[in-house]
Amino acid sequence: MVINIASFGGRTHLLDTARELAKQGNIVRFYSYVPTKRAVKYGLPAECNYSLFFWALPFLVLYKIFGFKNWNQYLYHRIFDVFTAYYMKPCDVFIGQSPMHNYTIRYAKKKYNALTILERGSIHIIDYNNQVKSNPIYHGKTFLPHFMIKHDIDGYNYPDFISVGSEQVAESFIRHGILQCKLFVNNYGFNVFQFKSTYLSEDAYDLIYVGQWSYRKGCDLIENICRKNSYRFIHVGSICDISFPDIPNMVHIDAVEQCELQEYYTKAKVFVIPSRCEGLAMVQLQAAACGLPIVCSKYSGGRDIKKYTISDKWIIEMEDLSVKSLEKCVAIALNIADTQKGMRNYLKDNFSEVSWEGYGRRYHEFLKSKIKDDQ
């Protein structure tokens, strides 16, 4: 198969998708503003990368000057959607990213009779908007303007299928009228060479979270339980819309390269991610590969990881998005962590199913079956 894959931004999980589908023997072209040198660093063959960096540069400058605003993101999405359609080469399959590639999907269907897939990394835009606008900084106002929400929803109608990373995302779409037969649930993966079973370091932190420090990720709940219980906590990642607390038992480390993260997982007993809005948080897969019990919300996609573990006990899902529920789950997880001796490992022997290789294999088989059905 000849497969064109377009990302609206940087690396994202679509670079991993492109790499793994290329490994399956397909001719793959990855369109994004990722420079080829950086794409190769993440395992994508140079001949698969079609970098649009210089074309995207004016928009990147706008982001630098004005920040990420609704108007400049919408402008970028609309212009680059049309640009990608005319720039890309013929293909059998086109995979585009929501909410950008509405026009490109229609163009690929009409011009090349291509099978079209929309990649949606998060829940349905209506649920996403409702969750994000609960952030106190928005004072209950709509997070996204109506025209952007409409553009997003319109995009769900054009592709043959919508690919999502977890069951809870699929459920979100079904609640809003998308037929289940249009959804392809394919759990994301982790890098098996960078994340492996670990021994717990001496004097370990009780808790770790990796990712943006933000309200959307439930970091206010983490701060609350750490203040209340004096948990030793470490955060690795960027600071977003809430400040990191200045207290002795909570430590912040700026974002590091992915290949360095295992060092930090080794230093902690339990991974926490009480997200209010997510698709499938891939840091959970990394933590699971390193053997850390995981405390997550029902919106994190953590539930999907259970099928790859030797027991459900390792993934502890909060009953609701409250401090009380998080506190209860963390206590359970720390008790489980205290029983771990030696090498920490709870993934099944066929853990390759939850690796990027497994993700790519499932994607390849899905595309083959759908193209065969159309012939």
Side-chain angles (χ1 to χ4, degrees), residues 118-132:
L118 181 71
E119 275 287 332
R120 178 68 182 178
S122 189
I123 53 180
H124 191 285
I125 188 60
I126 292 176
D127 288 347
Y128 177 89
N129 190 57
N130 288 337
Q131 288 287 2
V132 175

Side-chain angles (χ1 to χ4, degrees), residues 20 29 31 50 57 71 80 101 131 156 185 199 206 209 214 220 225 236-237 249 327:
E20 297 305 326
R29 307 185 188 104
Y31 297 89
Y50 286 68
L57 190 57
W71 67 268
F80 245 68
H101 296 106
Q131 288 287 2
Y156 304 154
V185 180
Y199 287 99
D206 297 307
Y209 163 64
S214 67
D220 56 309
I225 67 164
V236 183
N249 57 308
E327 195 171 29

